[in-house]
Amino acid sequence: MLAVLRDLERVLFDQATIFRRLDEIAARISRDYRHKELTVIAVLNGSLMFMADLLRRIPLPLKLDCLSVVSYHGKARASGEVIFKQISMPDVQGRHVLILDDILDSGNTLTALRKKLVAAGPRSINVCVLLSKNRPRAYAVEAGYVGFEIKVEFVVGYGLDYDERYRNLPCIGVLRKDLMK
Ligand code: IMP
Ligand code: MG
């Protein structure tokens, strides 16, 4: 087993549980988009594992674009600021867009991204997240596909990081508090 597993307070979802849920979500997406050509926009780095495992379960013709954003949380920065790292946005005009992200927390990131993509004139736009934190959101985001609802706790693994670490864990778990600054 990975030595970093010791850094978890507890495991929330093991790999088999994640995969079973991905089967269900992929089946729904495949049904919903069976007559539409899908353009998937994945938000890296957090959604990397999720994207790879989910998309391999969707037997539809689709286009894939990845982008990465930096969002600042906490009081030290102006809230709501989301910086897009790549120079040009994917072309989504007239397309059925599905945004993939790892986790919906405040909703800040997905609200900014959705707004930016809507301005480019997609035919439709929906959001799929692996995890959603059960909390009131400063920014309401409607996600048509949610893997798991979780409590407000800091989780890592399966793409999710703490300071860029733990993304390679095969499961999702709560990080030990003593390891967080
Ligand atoms: P939001 O903009 O507040 O919804 O936050 C979204 C981003 O914050 C996610 O894409 C993650 O990168 C990060 N994030 C939020 N909660 C967690 C967590 O519990 N673990 C790891 N990353 C998180
Ligand atoms: Mg992150």
Side-chain angles (χ1 to χ4, degrees):
M1 256 307 172
L2 287 164
V4 279
L5 273 177
R6 275 185 240 121
D7 291 0
L8 297 183
E9 190 179 289
R10 62 184 197 284
V11 172
L12 289 182
F13 309 107
D14 63 15
Q15 193 163 49
T17 307
I18 295 171
F19 283 0
R20 269 199 305 276
R21 188 65 184 131
L22 294 192
D23 286 341
E24 293 169 1
I25 300 173
R28 269 190 57 210
I29 293 172
S30 304
R31 218 173 28 243
D32 294 349
Y33 288 91
R34 65 191 178 281
H35 301 307
K36 297 171 183 163
E37 211 199 335
L38 192 54
T39 297
V40 173
I41 310 256
V43 186
L44 299 183
N45 296 325
S47 71
L48 186 60
M49 315 288 171
F50 176 44
M51 169 191 76
D53 289 332
L54 181 75
L55 296 188
R56 279 180 289 182
R57 289 169 163 79
I58 301 177
L60 296 177
L62 59 79
K63 287 189 181 176
L64 173 64
D65 261 301
C66 298
L67 50 82
S68 48
V69 299
V70 187
S71 41
Y72 295 107
H73 299 267
K75 297 188 185 73
R77 298 278 189 158
S79 68
E81 190 185 2
V82 175
I83 295 169
F84 293 85
K85 279 207 228 164
Q86 72 289 339
I87 295 152
S88 66
M89 292 292 282
D91 179 19
V92 297
Q93 201 188 357
R95 314 266 326 163
H96 292 288
V97 172
L98 182 62
I99 303 171
L100 289 192
D101 205 356
D102 53 358
I103 187 165
L104 181 52
D105 187 12
S106 70
N108 179 25
T109 311
L110 284 170
T111 300
L113 177 55
R114 193 183 226 276
K115 215 166 127 188
K116 198 149 175 141
L117 290 171
V118 163
R123 190 121 162 242
S124 71
I125 189 157
N126 206 341
V127 172
C128 174
V129 288
L130 178 62
L131 303 171
S132 173
K133 283 194 195 173
N134 205 336
R135 55 170 277 192
R137 289 188 223 294
Y139 308 85
V141 177
E142 302 218 354
Y145 309 93
V146 176
F148 304 99
E149 295 272 352
I150 62 167
K151 285 195 292 186
V152 180
E153 286 182 302
F154 198 83
V155 295
V156 294
Y158 194 67
L160 290 139
D161 72 302
Y162 174 67
D163 207 10
E164 292 306 321
R165 295 179 64 215
Y166 307 108
R167 292 196 197 274
N168 57 322
L169 285 178
C171 60
I172 296 167
V174 178
L175 186 63
R176 270 168 38 201
K177 310 266 180 309
D178 60 294
L179 295 172
M180 290 192 273
K181 279 179 234 129

